[in-house]
Amino acid sequence: MASVLVTGGLGAIGAPLTEELERRGHDVWVADRPWNERDRYYRCDVSEYRQLERVFADREFDYVYHLGAEFGRRNGEDFYETMWQSNAVGTKNVCRLQAEHDFRLIFASSSEVYGDYDDAMEESVPLEEGPRQLNDYAISKWVNEQQIMNAADRHGTESVRVRFFNTYGPGERYSEYRSVVCKFCYRALHDLPYHVYEDHHRSFTYIDDTVRTLANVVDSFHPGEVYNIAGEEYYDIKDLSDMVLGYLGKDDAQVEYRGTEDHNTLNKKASVEKATRDLDHEQRVSLEEGIPRTIDWMRDYYDLE
């Protein structure tokens, strides 16, 4: 049994990850910003060094999953001050405390680091090909990865980076800054208009598949490695919208079709060979299965008929 801290452990990925790690017998603690009545909980903003330092002064951890961050491309544009403080300063704080306390770090990065790269996204691409990240959120995640690599060079710290590709599913509460699946499902459920960028293509990952693979890192930790966690199917965004509307039995009268979204990666097709080899990654839930599960959860959560 390992002692594990999950920063951002109340979030859409952090909460089910915490449950999965506990189910496997680990001693799991959560650090996040809101007040919470959960046992083994620290109220903490990772961008505030003093607050984070107190967590590690109270307890030593074998592993830290660092998911605490501001999420999303548009969020990073509208609230860039908060995003940079949380993502860049927060990760630097974690790296400094890692050098002092010698825990193993699993860092939550993003497919956004692949930027304008337009081929199969293998993990070596950002370093070898140098794609240009297209928005502040993407830049911040690549900065985070470089902070972690620099910390390993300077202090001998041991870390693994994982890049999420469009994780979606139950537990993701709606906002304008959430995943495209979440937004389409919510707005179609409520008969609200939304727009579809037809020229874009994505790999989607159901939450259970992401969490299972992410939890496996503790059991198969390879310092310095980086992994894509993604579904193996590849869709255009109109396919996604059509699936949502089809399950709800609705037409596309509320949908506005557009071509390309500026400052957003056109195509995201992930290579998952490394995660399959090292972390036993497997897509068990297709998009056709995941969308109904997500919509049914939303119906219950938002108390809809």
Side-chain angles (χ1 to χ4, degrees):
M1 179 180 74
S3 177
V4 182
L5 176 69
V6 181
T7 72
L10 300 181
I13 296 176
L17 172 64
T18 297
E19 293 178 2
E20 176 65 15
L21 291 167
E22 288 179 331
R23 187 186 66 79
R24 297 185 185 194
H26 299 298
D27 180 28
V28 186
W29 293 72
V30 166
D32 214 322
R33 288 189 295 194
W35 287 105
N36 192 269
E37 296 179 353
R38 184 188 188 279
D39 291 336
R40 294 179 168 81
Y41 182 76
Y42 295 100
R43 187 181 185 218
C44 169
D45 185 335
V46 297
S47 69
E48 298 291 341
Y49 185 82
R50 179 187 61 84
Q51 294 180 23
L52 194 59
E53 183 181 38
R54 288 170 58 187
V55 174
F56 291 95
D58 184 63
R59 186 171 304 277
E60 293 291 330
F61 300 97
D62 302 310
Y63 295 89
V64 173
Y65 282 87
H66 181 36
L67 280 68
E70 288 290 312
F71 163 82
R73 177 187 52 79
R74 282 189 55 203
N75 182 38
E77 300 302 313
D78 291 349
F79 299 96
Y80 59 86
E81 309 97 327
T82 305
M83 189 273 299
W84 278 106
Q85 185 74 17
S86 180
N87 292 17
V89 176
T91 299
K92 183 67 173 182
N93 290 340
V94 170
C95 288
R96 286 200 167 187
L97 288 162
Q98 184 187 17
E100 180 180 347
H101 292 273
D102 199 32
F103 53 81
R104 286 179 153 185
L105 176 66
I106 300 102
F107 174 72
S109 188
S110 168
S111 60
E112 286 287 316
V113 302
Y114 291 102
D116 60 2
Y117 190 73
D118 197 32
D119 203 346
M121 293 176 171
E122 297 181 357
E123 287 86 348
S124 61
V125 162
L127 281 175
E128 294 182 356
E129 302 292 337
R132 184 174 67 89
Q133 286 80 37
L134 299 176
N135 55 75
D136 269 34
Y137 172 68
I139 296 167
S140 80
K141 283 299 183 181
W142 185 230
V143 165
N144 295 159
E145 291 201 33
Q146 293 182 78
Q147 288 173 311
I148 290 165
M149 289 186 283
N150 287 346
D153 290 342
R154 294 175 184 176
H155 306 293
T157 51
E158 295 188 342
S159 301
V160 165
R161 293 163 285 138
V162 296
R163 297 170 183 158
F164 299 138
F165 279 71
N166 293 285
T167 292
Y168 73 95
E172 186 181 14
R173 297 183 292 274
Y174 172 79
S175 84
E176 277 299 310
Y177 303 116
R178 296 308 310 180
S179 75
V180 65
V181 177
C182 178
K183 289 193 288 187
F184 283 9
C185 290
Y186 180 90
R187 296 190 74 83
L189 264 171
H190 290 81
D191 293 312
L192 297 171
Y194 63 91
H195 49 262
V196 171
Y197 290 99
E198 296 178 274
D199 295 340
H200 292 257
H201 301 77
R202 294 291 183 266
S203 301
F204 297 98
T205 327
Y206 188 68
I207 183 66
D208 291 2
D209 293 334
T210 293
V211 164
R212 185 180 59 256
T213 300
L214 193 54
N216 288 346
V217 177
V218 167
D219 301 318
S220 184
F221 191 95
H222 298 275
E225 278 291 5
V226 55
Y227 300 100
N228 294 330
I229 298 183
E232 297 179 63
E233 301 167 324
Y234 190 55
Y235 295 96
D236 65 46
I237 301 302
K238 185 177 185 300
D239 288 336
L240 167 64
S241 177
D242 289 346
M243 288 182 201
V244 171
L245 295 172
Y247 183 68
L248 292 172
K250 298 184 178 183
D251 61 30
D252 64 351
Q254 294 278 50
V255 178
E256 177 188 349
Y257 295 103
R258 303 177 183 177
T260 302
E261 184 179 18
D262 293 337
H263 310 299
N264 196 5
T265 304
L266 193 63
N267 300 311
K268 291 183 182 178
K269 186 173 185 178
S271 167
V272 294
E273 292 180 8
K274 285 177 62 178
T276 301
R277 180 194 69 207
D278 291 354
L279 304 177
D280 198 26
H281 176 64
E282 179 185 3
Q283 179 178 349
R284 297 182 183 177
V285 180
S286 67
L287 190 61
E288 290 90 343
E289 297 171 289
I291 285 173
R293 295 185 190 184
T294 302
I295 290 173
D296 291 347
W297 174 84
M298 282 189 174
R299 278 187 171 131
D300 182 64
Y301 182 81
Y302 293 107
D303 195 25
L304 301 173
E305 291 282 334

